[in-house]
Amino acid sequence: MGKMMKAVVFHGKEDLRFQEVPEPECGKGQVKIKPACDLHEYLGGPAICPTTPHPITGEQVPLTFGHEFSGTVEEVGEGVTKFKAGDRVCVQPIIYDDECGSCKEGLINCCDKNGFVGLSGWGGGLSEHVVLPEYCVIPIPDNVPLDVAALVEPLSVGWHAVAISPFKKGDSALVIGGGPIGLSVIQALKAKGCDNIIVTEVSSMRKQYAQDFGAHHILDPTKDDIVARCRELSDNKGVHMAFDAAGVQAALTSAVKAVRARGTIINIALWEKPFQLMPNDMIFRERKWIGVATYVAGDFQEVLEAISSGRMKNVEQMITKRIGLDEVVEGGFKALVKDKDRQVKILVRAGDGEV
């Protein structure tokens, strides 16, 4: 038996185990990384994790977890020229086949067979070592710490959502939900110059987070008339666009009517079941609804540049708790479940280092 290492392994819904797994070896075209990461996907279970062999990785549950992470290069394989041992990097975790129509158009996030490192195989950030293809590895600017770089993955989701939207300076935007993805949208909008960000959120703590990250107006859907207030805050025309980071029927229904004529609803949330949408609400105002899937090639680099240059500020405040790899189940995922209003991102220290 070869070398073993510690890792957090997903065995099924609410079944995470801290255990020993084989340490991966670095091969041709690959980069071996010592991770430091944050975490996600506990209660949802195999909604994303494959329970049959993934078409690209060939792996299925149980799987080593962790798809939002940064780390330090330990070793590079034959043919790797862009990295060397000691380099600080983060990981763009999309797995794609580079053969389907979407991939041929550069839309790796829409790959017919796509998956994610740490959710679909190839190891993950919640381990002592991980080996990945060179294309997954992104260099970190010198002035961006490893803990902040671990947030680039969720921040890139918000960045891509704003980039794919018709946003331009002077536009107003409604953000539905003040969780991690909603906060990433707020930060992307601020970095791109939005001066009228409206957020709907019920949790008092998440309202405060939204305000701290730059939202200009905070509304409570249990107390405020969202449609009326959005019109008041946007020249009585309605907002130019709404970003749905919640995936809740009532919130979507309000958002559609809060958007002005020829406005756009951008859906980022993953839905657990079908939603209802009245076509006439779209037709008679010529509104548009678009879906957004994670991020595309180049988004990580743009987010890192925005952080490095100071256009995206105080992102480290998204880290609300820090734990060790052996504390993930009790101190990490269960904390996110039991105390989700207070926790945004829990950073896991996979080993020694600056995090």
Side-chain angles (χ1 to χ4, degrees), residues 7 31 108 113 123 147 151 161 173 177 196 202 254 257 263 325 334 336:
V31 179
I108 60 173
K113 300 177 182 178
D147 57 354
L151 295 169
N196 189 6
V202 175
S254 295
K257 295 181 179 179
L325 191 60
K334 289 186 178 179
L336 282 174

Side-chain angles (χ1 to χ4, degrees), residues 80-150:
V80 174
T81 59
K82 297 179 181 178
F83 300 97
K84 63 183 185 304
D87 285 350
R88 300 160 62 256
V89 298
C90 62
V91 170
Q92 187 280 92
I94 292 179
I95 296 170
Y96 59 96
D97 64 15
D98 204 25
E99 296 175 350
C100 69
S102 296
C103 286
K104 293 301 182 184
E105 292 186 356
L107 304 176
I108 60 173
N109 58 326
C110 299
C111 175
D112 293 345
K113 300 177 182 178
N114 81 341
F116 290 85
V117 173
L119 292 172
S120 310
W122 291 358
L126 292 177
S127 64
E128 294 179 312
H129 311 276
V130 63
V131 170
L132 297 170
E134 186 176 15
Y135 81 76
C136 290
V137 186
I138 310 293
I140 300 171
D142 291 341
N143 65 339
V144 176
L146 277 174
D147 57 354
V148 171

Side-chain angles (χ1 to χ4, degrees), residues 159-176:
W159 188 271
H160 178 58
V162 176
I164 206 173
S165 79
F167 172 77
K168 62 184 183 302
K169 279 192 175 183
D171 285 352
S172 53
L174 171 65
V175 180
I176 306 167

